[in-house]
Amino acid sequence: MGPHRPYRMECEIRPLREPDLDAADRIQRRAFAALLGGAADQRDTELVRTRWAAGNTAALGAFAGSRLLGSGFATRWGSVGFVGPLSVEPECWDRGVGSQLMAAADGVLREWGVVRRGLFTFAHSPRHHRLYQRFGYWPRFLTALMSRPVPAAPPAVEWGPGSARDREELTGAAARLAGAVYPGLDIAGEIASALDQKIGEVVLAGPAAAPTGVAVVHDGAGSEAGSGVAYVKVGLVRPGAEADFAALVDACLAHAATVGADRLVVGVNTARHRAYRHLVARGFVTDVPGVTMHAPNDTGYDRDDVFVIDDWR
């Protein structure tokens, strides 16, 4: 006889409701702890509730009757969309639950008509690579999750909080910068999510009337950052503008100091080599090496002239 193969669990995939969030949060934490052990220090971060409440995200659950077995999220940034986090109760691994969630989340991205679909996963996990490849997602360059201490004396730089700006003007400025990076890229949903949920700030670098850089930063407990951390969910400047990128990094450090954070966390795809090298030179170190997987399997905006902070988690 051959090796035992676990039976497939057929699930109903449906949107998560608010009463499902406690269970989804517990499963997500258990799943990441089982996979990563001590490296999965999630403390008081919030991934499930913040994504569920975001207007640019679809939150899906896999149910066996009334029991929740796992969850998956699909997020839209205009013409770009990504899946994650996707988590399954560890005792239900290898029973097809993840595949069913992935199929549903990928289906949402397709229904939205995004041009570039992607996701972040762990570089050391072949089981995840195999799963996502079945849906046409292929690994490209590493994505480094990096951090550095926030200096006691933050850099002197021209910057301001986006929350003090008119929302239409703010999203318009962000759209102009994002559209220069990749056609149709739009981070308005992340701006609204951070400001409406009061889990962070939009950091604007450069002149108030015409910012040269924009970043959505999550701050502290109850956000995707966690206590003592400021996390740049997405930050961008125009392609080739390394000096503007330096100013945006300085602005994020200054904001982190303002909110009392100990560390600033960023993510960058290493195919954006100049951006990655700039962060290394500024004292950022890699805490977790991941990999982004792309559908279709091409460069997208992971190019040497692109100065963007994001990680598609």
Side-chain angles (χ1 to χ4, degrees):
M1 295 179 63
H4 172 70
R5 296 179 62 85
Y7 67 89
R8 178 180 171 88
M9 301 181 71
E10 295 298 334
C11 304
E12 178 189 1
I13 308 297
R14 62 176 187 261
L16 289 176
R17 298 173 299 112
E18 190 167 8
D20 302 321
L21 298 184
D22 285 346
D25 181 75
R26 287 194 298 270
I27 291 169
Q28 186 263 324
R29 293 175 190 275
R30 281 199 294 262
F32 279 79
L35 179 65
L36 299 175
D41 178 15
Q42 300 176 70
R43 299 170 295 156
D44 48 15
T45 58
E46 284 286 355
L47 295 180
V48 168
R49 289 176 178 83
T50 54
R51 303 289 174 98
W52 179 81
N56 63 322
T57 298
L60 305 171
F63 293 84
S66 61
R67 181 190 175 195
L68 181 67
L69 305 180
S71 65
F73 297 81
T75 298
R76 184 177 184 179
W77 290 356
S79 61
V80 175
F82 55 91
V83 174
L86 190 153
S87 55
V88 174
E89 186 73 77
E91 68 186 55
C92 301
W93 286 1
D94 299 319
R95 293 184 177 179
V97 178
S99 295
Q100 293 169 77
L101 279 168
M102 181 63 194
D106 182 63
V108 170
L109 296 184
R110 291 175 181 272
E111 289 173 10
W112 284 339
V114 302
V115 175
R116 167 146 308 279
R117 307 183 333 271
L119 55 86
F120 172 96
T121 192
F122 301 104
H124 69 285
S125 180
R127 69 190 297 167
H128 288 87
H129 304 172
R130 289 193 298 269
L131 167 62
Y132 302 132
Q133 283 168 187
R134 293 205 295 272
F135 295 90
Y137 291 70
W138 295 94
R140 295 187 67 86
F141 282 83
L142 292 176
T143 290
L145 306 183
M146 312 176 78
S147 69
R148 61 153 289 171
V150 176
V157 63
E158 186 177 13
W159 74 283
S163 58
R165 297 283 299 274
D166 174 80
R167 185 70 66 89
E168 186 174 348
E169 291 180 359
L170 174 62
T171 55
R176 287 189 289 275
L177 293 171
V181 170
Y182 189 78
L185 178 64
D186 189 350
I187 61 171
E190 293 302 327
I191 290 172
S193 178
L195 298 184
D196 293 346
Q197 296 185 62
K198 297 180 172 56
I199 55 175
E201 181 59 272
V202 180
V203 172
L204 299 175
T212 57
V214 60
V216 178
V217 185
H218 285 216
D219 297 321
S223 76
E224 296 182 26
S227 290
V229 174
Y231 162 53
V232 182
K233 181 71 177 282
V234 57
L236 48 82
V237 301
R238 291 185 180 277
E242 186 164 1
D244 292 341
F245 185 68
L248 182 62
V249 173
D250 281 342
C252 291
L253 285 167
H255 165 74
T258 299
V259 299
D262 300 316
R263 297 191 71 81
L264 180 66
V265 173
V266 303
V268 65
N269 190 285
T270 57
R272 306 167 202 157
H273 184 65
R274 291 163 62 192
Y276 172 67
R277 287 193 63 170
H278 181 93
L279 292 168
V280 170
R282 296 293 302 277
F284 287 86
V285 297
T286 298
D287 299 311
V288 178
V291 63
T292 48
M293 300 183 69
H294 295 229
N297 181 25
D298 60 26
T299 302
Y301 58 88
D302 292 334
R303 309 186 311 269
D304 191 58
D305 67 327
V306 168
F307 290 88
V308 170
I309 295 170
D310 69 5
D311 54 60
W312 289 359
R313 276 187 290 169

